[in-house]
Amino acid sequence: MNKRNFQKELDKIIDGQIQEDTVPRLLLHSCCAPCSSYVLKYLAEYFSITVLYYNPNISPGEEYTKRVEEQRRLIEEMPVKNSITLIACDYEPQEFYDAVRGLEKEPEGGARCFVCYELRMREAAMYAAEYGFDYFTTTLSISPLKNAEKINEIGEKLSAEYGVKHLPSDFKKREGYKQSVELSAQYNLYRQNYCGCIFSKGEQK
């Protein structure tokens, strides 16, 4: 079976919107300001975006607060075509620990991370369905260390479960990750050296 090209699937959706001259509402889960920088610059050309900052995996609390404020600052400073608003969720780390209980010793990038993806994407899908968004997606696929196939698989499962369309993505394509690094430097964003959770922090180089 041929490997899916999620970027081309996204291109097709965007092309359809351009033809119809529509600006759909997108609920975007963001893991951090640096990862969201390219995604926001790119997608705000075609969507009205609400950023959902829901990341109970982040540790410690001070790190969470720092990342939220950088997300807020980026949205305020970045010039974009369509509107971007931020919803910053309360810091509830126990939700992450409950979700990954029993997977603490899994290697980074494995089963524990997949559970973490779904925990955060589920919140986005629920919110998008409740408030009538046209699409939901996540910034997670921009990272070269994240499994885009798994992220999209989870998104499609949640789409079927909640009845809201999932926007396919592999944002690292077309130098998306490289552009996110450049935009982070341009806006002087705080770039953390670990994904966010206490387990990834333990494996940081």
Side-chain angles (χ1 to χ4, degrees), residues 84-122:
I84 302 175
T85 57
L86 172 66
I87 297 171
C89 297
D90 292 338
Y91 180 49
E92 301 287 354
Q94 194 59 46
E95 294 178 3
F96 169 71
Y97 292 120
D98 289 345
V100 302
R101 187 174 291 116
L103 299 171
E104 292 87 351
K105 297 188 183 301
E106 286 288 317
E108 194 65 8
R112 184 184 62 245
C113 292
F114 296 163
V115 169
C116 185
Y117 299 168
E118 182 165 341
L119 173 67
R120 292 181 282 169
M121 292 175 69
R122 181 174 295 279

Side-chain angles (χ1 to χ4, degrees), residues 23 26 38-49 78-84:
V23 182
L26 171 66
Y38 163 73
V39 179
L40 291 173
K41 181 181 177 182
Y42 171 34
L43 293 184
E45 286 291 307
Y46 312 105
F47 298 87
S48 172
I49 301 174
M78 178 179 282
V80 290
K81 180 178 178 180
N82 293 303
S83 66
I84 302 175

